[in-house]
Amino acid sequence: MEHRPDPIQIITRPSTSVAQDRIQALGAWMDAARHAGWRVDPLDEPVDWPAGECGLVDIEGLRYLLRVGLRGRTRAMLLPAAHADRAVARPVAGDTASATRPVLQLTTWAEPLLDVELYRRRPPRALPRRER
């Protein structure tokens, strides 16, 4: 039984400045995957950066597309401008009465790439029927 998390379960939450740099976002995710025990190699193939793609990687024989976008759930604190200093001090002191709301934050994740051509050349076989 594998004790490593599946690559699709590995996510990183880059800062906005890191997420805007495709190389840094790719490197941060690859570092997290390597720490999880996977052998990861970047692939030098074009990706659609405006669509949120940040790179292709090979993970032990399978290819994955890395994406960056608003996907990770977190909470944002609602701070009135006049009380920002006090509102920041409360959560640090453990006050849970501060108003928060759920938001999505930048996340880097991997999606496996299926080799469509492989399936076209060799269609999947139907499972044999069980006789009753």
Side-chain angles (χ1 to χ4, degrees):
M1 182 79 183
E2 285 265 351
H3 295 292
R4 302 179 290 185
D6 191 282
I8 63 169
Q9 296 173 315
I10 299 170
I11 62 168
T12 58
R13 295 172 187 241
S15 66
T16 303
S17 62
V18 169
Q20 291 174 354
D21 182 352
R22 180 178 71 86
I23 304 284
Q24 287 188 14
L26 178 68
W29 189 92
M30 287 175 52
D31 186 55
R34 287 178 178 143
H35 281 343
W38 293 101
R39 191 181 75 245
V40 182
D41 297 311
L43 299 174
D44 188 19
E45 294 186 26
V47 294
D48 188 358
W49 177 244
E53 298 175 357
C54 70
L56 291 168
V57 295
D58 178 272
I59 302 175
E60 300 179 7
L62 294 177
R63 294 171 47 164
Y64 291 82
L65 173 65
L66 296 182
R67 295 186 177 273
V68 174
L70 294 173
R71 185 172 179 169
R73 187 180 176 96
T74 189
R75 300 216 46 99
M77 187 173 296
L78 304 174
L79 299 176
H83 304 288
D85 292 336
R86 245 182 293 147
V88 170
R90 271 192 229 140
V92 173
D95 182 7
T96 58
S98 301
T100 63
R101 66 181 177 94
V103 295
L104 295 175
Q105 75 179 90
L106 284 171
T107 304
T108 307
W109 70 95
E111 295 177 356
L113 289 178
L114 302 177
D115 189 354
V116 176
E117 290 302 315
L118 176 68
Y119 292 113
R120 285 185 185 153
R121 281 185 262 130
R122 199 175 30 159
R125 293 181 292 172
L127 294 174
R129 290 182 174 236
R130 290 189 340 184
E131 294 181 23
R132 292 183 184 209

